[in-house]
Amino acid sequence: MATVTLKGNAFQTVGELPAVGSKAPDFKLVKTDLSEVSLKDFAGSRLVLNIFPSVDTGVCATSIRTFNQKASELSNTKILCVSADLPFAAARFCGAEGIENVGTGSSFRSTFGQDYGVSFTTGPLAGLLSRSVVVIDENGVVVYVEQVAETTEEPNYASATAVL
């Protein structure tokens, strides 16, 4: 279990992020067209999982915009933005913002938050996902993880992309 804060108040997550050097846990998430996407869909590509509580918050929206811009600079790399938001919210946001370089996946009917250790178990965000970044190489091995200590802060984009 990890502890992160929201405006300085401490809350728990269900577990810990996968360890660097470990095989990334498989997942099934729901895309905006309601089809499923899984880890195997990214085989042979590097994958950045941009995990956050909700697209309808300023910091989460900024992380999507920032990774959308960075995606065009990274070779053989896909970026998947993951939250518990319904796929319709992600489609609305990405459509309105012109987001085209990243994919989205909803954890609303999956065990992603449990499997990656990022579901909040306490506090006002219980059931949502803790702001985190997981980078997976083309062989499915975790090469970078960050669980942002303060939920209202952005992830370290430079560190996440430096491993790529």
Side-chain angles (χ1 to χ4, degrees):
M1 162 179 337
T3 301
V4 296
T5 60
L6 174 64
K7 298 180 181 177
N9 298 304
F11 301 105
Q12 307 300 308
T13 63
V14 69
E16 302 285 336
L17 288 169
V20 170
S22 68
K23 217 41 172 163
D26 196 13
F27 57 79
K28 286 190 180 167
L29 298 166
V30 181
K31 300 188 316 185
T32 58
D33 66 0
L34 302 180
S35 66
E36 290 186 342
V37 63
S38 68
L39 183 59
K40 70 180 178 207
D41 295 320
F42 300 96
S45 295
R46 301 179 300 183
L47 177 63
V48 177
L49 297 175
N50 174 32
I51 306 163
F52 51 85
S54 175
V55 70
D56 289 319
T57 67
V59 177
C60 299
T62 297
S63 74
I64 295 171
R65 290 182 197 109
T66 301
F67 276 118
N68 183 64
Q69 182 269 324
K70 292 192 174 298
S72 63
E73 303 167 359
L74 302 168
S75 65
N76 192 35
T77 303
K78 307 289 184 194
I79 298 176
L80 186 62
C81 298
V82 181
S83 72
D85 289 312
L86 292 177
F88 315 113
R92 173 188 41 81
F93 176 82
C94 291
E97 294 279 332
I99 303 292
E100 298 178 347
N101 298 324
V102 301
T104 61
S106 173
S107 67
F108 87 101
R109 61 179 184 210
S110 80
T111 60
F112 178 89
Q114 299 284 329
D115 299 340
Y116 276 75
V118 294
S119 288
F120 282 110
T121 58
T122 61
L125 300 181
L128 297 179
L129 306 179
S130 172
R131 186 176 321 288
S132 305
V133 176
V134 177
V135 180
I136 303 165
D137 73 11
E138 55 275 0
N139 299 310
V141 175
V142 176
V143 294
Y144 175 85
V145 296
E146 176 192 10
Q147 187 164 41
V148 179
E150 168 55 51
T151 303
T152 62
E153 295 179 3
E154 294 177 57
N156 187 331
Y157 305 109
S159 292
T161 57
V163 299
L164 299 168

